[in-house]
């Protein structure tokens, strides 16, 4: 029953998406009231059927209905309910279905929030949004159909990949990343709508930037959660290794960051218009490229859990979106002139992309420079990621691009970005004399010197680390100054208490304050990376019971070996083995301070011969002590353990919370709602 009902739902979602895409385009082109009404109904139909298919798959997984192909691939009686549910995104077909479900959620949210406003743009947006939905509905209903019936029905399945069962973060990291990836289609559709409508005004840029901020926040948090999962599961003692699939999420993050800042310049100054649209379209294209990297099997990665034959289909779709985007920009860009100072006719590519009203000592020029760095960074990482594929395809030889290449470029480009994060906030919009600009740029040097000096006193004196900390301090001082200075000025001029003045200023400039707080979150992450990259200590040691290893002021004493069987009860009442945990118990100390016991393990799953090494971590604000087993004698007479000390890495996990807080403040709705006049339909009705 479930295979047939699920197949019916995914085919229905394809029907609704296709009909809605056509009706949305028709309503946008002819401003037809009835076509727009039916396009909305089709969008709701797509969302309902796709979400229904996702819920039905969860039911099939929980019931262990092995007649469903996807359940037979990833389900198991030995898998606990928690990991059974998150198995929805554990393999290819389920992850594509989940992609469609997230797309349905965004469609519903977009219609609920923007459906009664911006009527000139909305039909086009829904048409483009559903046109993209058609592709994923086609995948789910054909080559990646998870509801195909299995015959004969197996009695049990292999369960999800053991790596996916080994950490609770797998319930949060993939869906958060998907909310970032999939959500990028909304601003892409809004940009296409502006080009198709031949109009781009401030009333549309406000929601466009907001709908980029939502998936951008999810993507930022998802990337850090992925680093946390890597840190807590893979046992190598790091959070980022420039793995191709890690890079796949980093590319759209860079261009989305550039878009958010570029859109702000366009809203305030009317420049960087086409450049902003290019960044928005490129961000969605890069999410598609990232999905291709993750789901096509072209890369051998610990983050890539699927091998599939959908690679050529995805490449064809990426090519189609790219060609359509270029043609749309080339044909419709000239229709977007918004005032006489920004004429439609241009003579140079630079003026077409960026406009003509940029002055050197201004915030908009600082943002343009930051955009240039983001673009170079994106191209550098993308080139290093794709170069092995290009070489293999053109020259039939295997090459690899490793961490040294990426680190060599990431450090100078990253430090330049941090510096510009301190320059932009202190410069005003418009023209400023060089003397006044330098006067504004000077005080943050105090913050840089204070942070670098304080950390040097604690022993962090390496040149690279000191340079990063100095620039973090510089940018943090500048951003905190922009948070506090307006409140100080108001408190003095109105004789208000500083806390009250801070609240009043925040209420008037919540979006700006949210952006500054998000900056502080990114700076916190950069400082953390600078510390653990520069001062990570690592040693492999062999210990007998009672022996102690020391590293970086920490010590770990091997107590004894442990062995535990983790079992679960199957639906028929049988006790089934989930995994066997073989571990080593250590007592840890920092100096004379007892830190308690920590137990790294090797987890053996019935479906996998090799163990999954699960490290044990003692975290503190100053540093983490990280123990990962390499070898354990069966009799417990000795253990080989990798001992790692990671300064400051805890703050990397705090940073996404600060970024999310800043974005939430930016997105929090205001009392004033901007609406556009309703256009008149072809029959004289308001569409």
């Amino acid at each position: 029953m479930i295979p047939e009902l699920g197949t019916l739902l995914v085919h229905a979602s394809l029907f609704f998406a296709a009909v809605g895409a056509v009706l949305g385009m028709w309503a946008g082109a002819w401003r037809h009231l009835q076509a727009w009404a039916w396009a909305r109904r089709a969008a709701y139909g797509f969302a309902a059927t796709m979400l229904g298919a996702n819920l039905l798959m969860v039911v099939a997984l929980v019931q262990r209905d092995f007649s469903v192909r996807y359940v037979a691939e990833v389900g198991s009686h030995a898998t606990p309910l928690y990991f059974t549910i998150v198995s929805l995104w554990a393999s290819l077909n389920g992850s594509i279905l989940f992609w469609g479900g997230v797309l349905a959620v965004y469609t519903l949210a977009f219609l609920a929030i923007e459906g009664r406003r911006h009527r000139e743009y909305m039909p086009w947006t829904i048409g483009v949004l559903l046109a993209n939905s058609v592709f994923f509905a086609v995948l789910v209903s054909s080559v990646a159909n998870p509801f195909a019936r299995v015959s004969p029905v197996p009695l049990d399945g292999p369960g999800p990949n053991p790596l996916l069962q080994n950490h609770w973060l797998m319930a949060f990291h993939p869906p958060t990343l998907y909310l970032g990836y999939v959500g990028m289609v909304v601003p892409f559709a809004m940009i296409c709508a502006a080009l198709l409508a031949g109009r781009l005004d401030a009333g549309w840029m406000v929601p466009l930037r907001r709908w980029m901020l939502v998936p951008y926040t999810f993507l930022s948090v998802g990337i850090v959660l992925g680093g946390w999962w890597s840190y807590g599961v893979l046992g190598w003692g790091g959070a980022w290794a420039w793995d191709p699939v890690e890079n796949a999420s980093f590319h759209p993050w860079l261009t989305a960051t550039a878009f958010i800042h570029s859109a702000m310049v366009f809203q305030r100054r009317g420049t960087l218009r086409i450049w902003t649209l290019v960044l928005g379209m490129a961000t969605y294209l890069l999410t598609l490229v990232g999905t291709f990297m993750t789901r096509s099997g072209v890369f051998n990665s610990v983050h890539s859990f699927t091998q599939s034959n959908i690679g050529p289909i995805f490449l064809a779709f990426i090519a189609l979106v790219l060609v359509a985007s270029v043609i749309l920009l080339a044909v419709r860009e000239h229709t977007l002139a918004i005032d006489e100072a920004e004429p439609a006719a241009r003579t140079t590519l630079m003026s077409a992309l960026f406009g003509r009203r940029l002055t050197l000592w201004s915030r908009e020029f600082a943002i343009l420079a930051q955009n240039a760095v983001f673009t170079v960074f994106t191209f550098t990482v993308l080139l290093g990621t794709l170069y092995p594929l290009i070489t293999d395809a053109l020259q039939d030889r295997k090459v690899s691009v490793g961490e040294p290449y990426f680190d060599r470029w990431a450090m100078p480009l990253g430090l330049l970005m941090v510096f510009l994060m301190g320059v932009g906030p202190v410069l005003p919009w418009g023209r400023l004399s060089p003397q006044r600009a330098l006067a504004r740029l000077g005080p943050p040097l105090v913050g840089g010197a204070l942070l670098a000096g304080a950390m040097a006193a604690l022993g962090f004196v390496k040149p690279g680390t000191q340079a990063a900390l100095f620039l973090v301090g510089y940018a943090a001082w500048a951003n905190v100054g922009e948070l506090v200075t307006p409140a100080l000025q108001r408190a003095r001029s109105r004789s208000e208490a500083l806390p009250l003045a801070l609240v009043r200023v925040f209420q008037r400039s919540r979006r700006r304050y949210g952006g500054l707080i998000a900056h502080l979150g990114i700076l916190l992450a950069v400082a953390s990376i600078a510390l653990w990259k520069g001062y990570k200590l690592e040693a492999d040691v062999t210990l007998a019971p009672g022996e102690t290893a020391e590293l970086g002021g920490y010590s770990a004493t091997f107590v004894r070996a442990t062995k535990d069987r983790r079992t679960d009860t199957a639906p028929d009442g049988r006790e089934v083995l989930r995994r066997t945990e073989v571990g080593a118990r250590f007592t840890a100390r920092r100096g004379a301070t007892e830190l308690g016991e920590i137990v790294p393990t090797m987890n053996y799953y019935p479906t996998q011969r090799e163990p999954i090494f699960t490290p044990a971590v003692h975290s503190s604000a100053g540093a983490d002590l990280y123990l990962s087993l390499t070898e354990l004698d069966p009799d417990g007479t000795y253990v080989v353990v990798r001992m790692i000390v990671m300064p400051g890495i805890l703050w990397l996990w705090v940073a996404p919370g600060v970024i999310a807080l800043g974005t939430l403040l930016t997105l929090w709705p205001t009392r004033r709602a901007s609406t556009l006049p309703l256009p008149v339909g072809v029959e004289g009705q308001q569409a």
Side-chain angles (χ1 to χ4, degrees), residues 375-450:
T375 303
V376 173
F377 206 162
T378 304
F379 176 78
T380 302
V381 178
L382 187 63
L383 178 63
T385 306
L386 296 180
Y387 183 75
L389 294 182
I390 297 171
T391 304
D392 189 20
L394 298 181
Q395 301 179 6
D396 194 24
R397 63 187 180 95
K398 303 290 184 181
V399 298
S400 62
V401 177
E403 193 170 350
Y405 163 83
F406 294 105
D407 283 346
R408 183 166 60 248
W409 285 97
M411 183 174 177
L413 291 172
L415 293 182
L416 184 55
M417 283 193 297
V418 171
F419 171 69
L420 292 171
M421 285 176 64
V423 170
V426 301
L427 293 179
W429 299 103
R431 191 182 300 273
L432 189 69
S433 68
Q435 294 78 12
R436 294 184 61 190
L438 292 174
R440 290 185 175 220
L441 294 172
L445 294 172
V446 176
L450 287 175

Side-chain angles (χ1 to χ4, degrees), residues 413-673:
L413 291 172
L415 293 182
L416 184 55
M417 283 193 297
V418 171
F419 171 69
L420 292 171
M421 285 176 64
V423 170
V426 301
L427 293 179
W429 299 103
R431 191 182 300 273
L432 189 69
S433 68
Q435 294 78 12
R436 294 184 61 190
L438 292 174
R440 290 185 175 220
L441 294 172
L445 294 172
V446 176
L450 287 175
L451 181 60
M455 299 308 290
L458 294 175
F460 300 100
V461 295
K462 291 183 179 179
T465 304
Q466 276 286 295
L469 293 173
F470 177 83
L471 291 175
V472 166
Y474 178 89
W477 184 284
N479 283 268
V480 171
E482 290 300 301
L483 285 169
V484 175
T485 301
L488 290 173
Q489 293 173 344
R490 180 186 175 99
R492 284 196 298 264
S493 63
R494 303 195 180 191
S495 300
E496 289 181 349
L498 181 59
L500 177 61
L502 191 62
V503 170
R504 298 297 188 195
V505 172
F506 168 76
Q507 289 174 338
R508 293 173 59 90
S509 306
R510 185 168 58 237
R511 191 175 75 174
R512 174 164 168 74
Y513 271 45
L516 293 171
I517 291 171
H519 280 182
L520 294 176
I522 294 174
L523 292 174
L524 185 63
V526 173
S528 172
I529 293 170
L531 290 175
W532 68 261
K533 278 280 190 179
Y535 283 88
K536 174 183 176 181
L537 299 175
E538 183 175 352
D540 288 338
V541 294
T542 301
L543 300 174
E547 291 184 339
T548 300
E550 296 184 356
L551 184 68
Y554 287 84
S555 64
T557 302
F558 176 37
V559 179
R560 62 182 175 86
T562 64
K563 185 175 183 178
D564 294 307
R565 287 168 51 87
R566 301 293 182 180
T567 61
D568 288 287
T569 303
D572 60 5
R574 292 181 299 112
E575 185 178 69
V576 292
L577 175 66
R578 182 186 168 211
R579 72 185 184 195
T580 302
E581 297 180 358
V582 177
R585 191 174 300 277
F586 291 85
T587 56
R589 302 174 66 92
R590 182 175 61 242
T593 305
E594 289 279 356
L595 302 179
E597 289 190 336
I598 55 177
V599 186
T601 63
M602 297 186 293
N603 296 332
Y604 290 86
Y605 289 83
T607 58
Q608 181 165 317
R609 179 178 300 177
E610 297 298 324
I612 303 296
F613 294 87
T614 302
V617 184
H618 181 278
S619 293
S620 67
D624 281 10
L625 173 62
Y626 185 100
L627 299 181
S628 179
L629 294 183
T630 300
E631 183 182 349
L632 180 61
D633 179 67
D635 298 326
T637 57
Y638 72 90
V639 63
V640 181
V641 64
R642 178 166 298 162
M643 186 176 181
I644 305 174
V645 176
M646 304 274 286
I649 196 169
L650 174 66
W651 301 106
L652 185 60
W653 321 134
V654 176
V658 181
I659 296 171
L661 173 63
T663 308
L664 180 63
L665 294 174
T666 301
L667 293 172
W668 198 266
T670 58
R671 292 181 180 178
R672 294 180 298 174

Side-chain angles (χ1 to χ4, degrees), residues 64 76-85 87 165 567-568 578:
R64 273 81 171 184
S76 170
H77 289 303
T79 305
L81 179 63
Y82 175 80
F83 288 106
T84 295
I85 294 173
S87 297
Q165 302 180 57
T567 61
D568 288 287
R578 182 186 168 211

Side-chain angles (χ1 to χ4, degrees), residues 201-504:
D201 53 29
W204 190 235
M205 279 303 301
V206 171
L208 173 55
R209 186 171 181 268
R210 182 170 61 239
W211 281 100
M212 178 62 86
L213 277 168
V214 172
Y216 172 78
T217 303
F218 282 117
L219 184 60
S220 302
V221 174
I223 288 172
V224 178
L225 289 181
W228 195 0
W229 173 84
S230 177
Y231 182 68
V233 170
L234 299 183
W236 64 287
W240 190 267
W242 298 106
D243 178 276
V245 179
E246 291 174 343
N247 296 346
S249 63
F250 192 44
H251 303 142
W253 185 87
L254 289 169
T255 53
T257 306
F259 171 90
I260 290 167
H261 291 83
S262 181
M264 183 168 56
V265 175
F266 173 62
Q267 287 178 264
R268 293 294 299 263
R269 307 297 294 175
T271 56
L272 306 186
R273 186 186 64 211
I274 303 305
W275 176 244
T276 302
L277 302 186
V278 169
L279 287 172
M281 288 181 153
T283 299
Y284 179 56
L285 279 163
L286 288 171
T287 64
L288 294 178
V289 172
T291 307
F292 166 75
M293 292 180 184
T294 308
R295 296 302 172 193
S296 65
V298 297
F299 286 109
N300 181 21
S301 165
V302 295
H303 296 80
S304 183
F305 302 110
T306 59
Q307 297 293 326
S308 74
N309 58 359
I310 68 169
I313 303 173
F314 242 104
L315 278 180
F317 181 63
I318 292 170
L320 177 63
V321 174
L322 175 61
V323 171
S325 301
V326 171
I327 292 175
L328 195 57
L329 277 169
V331 172
R332 300 293 293 173
E333 179 272 330
H334 70 281
T335 66
L336 298 182
I338 57 173
D339 55 40
E340 295 181 357
E342 193 72 18
R346 298 300 207 294
T347 57
T348 67
L349 175 63
M350 292 296 289
S351 61
L353 286 172
F354 306 125
R356 300 174 179 173
R357 291 178 289 175
L358 294 175
T359 55
L360 179 61
W361 301 103
S362 65
R363 183 175 299 172
E364 51 265 43
F365 188 84
I367 291 175
L368 176 59
Q370 194 177 57
N371 268 227
V373 177
F374 278 119
T375 303
V376 173
F377 206 162
T378 304
F379 176 78
T380 302
V381 178
L382 187 63
L383 178 63
T385 306
L386 296 180
Y387 183 75
L389 294 182
I390 297 171
T391 304
D392 189 20
L394 298 181
Q395 301 179 6
D396 194 24
R397 63 187 180 95
K398 303 290 184 181
V399 298
S400 62
V401 177
E403 193 170 350
Y405 163 83
F406 294 105
D407 283 346
R408 183 166 60 248
W409 285 97
M411 183 174 177
L413 291 172
L415 293 182
L416 184 55
M417 283 193 297
V418 171
F419 171 69
L420 292 171
M421 285 176 64
V423 170
V426 301
L427 293 179
W429 299 103
R431 191 182 300 273
L432 189 69
S433 68
Q435 294 78 12
R436 294 184 61 190
L438 292 174
R440 290 185 175 220
L441 294 172
L445 294 172
V446 176
L450 287 175
L451 181 60
M455 299 308 290
L458 294 175
F460 300 100
V461 295
K462 291 183 179 179
T465 304
Q466 276 286 295
L469 293 173
F470 177 83
L471 291 175
V472 166
Y474 178 89
W477 184 284
N479 283 268
V480 171
E482 290 300 301
L483 285 169
V484 175
T485 301
L488 290 173
Q489 293 173 344
R490 180 186 175 99
R492 284 196 298 264
S493 63
R494 303 195 180 191
S495 300
E496 289 181 349
L498 181 59
L500 177 61
L502 191 62
V503 170
R504 298 297 188 195

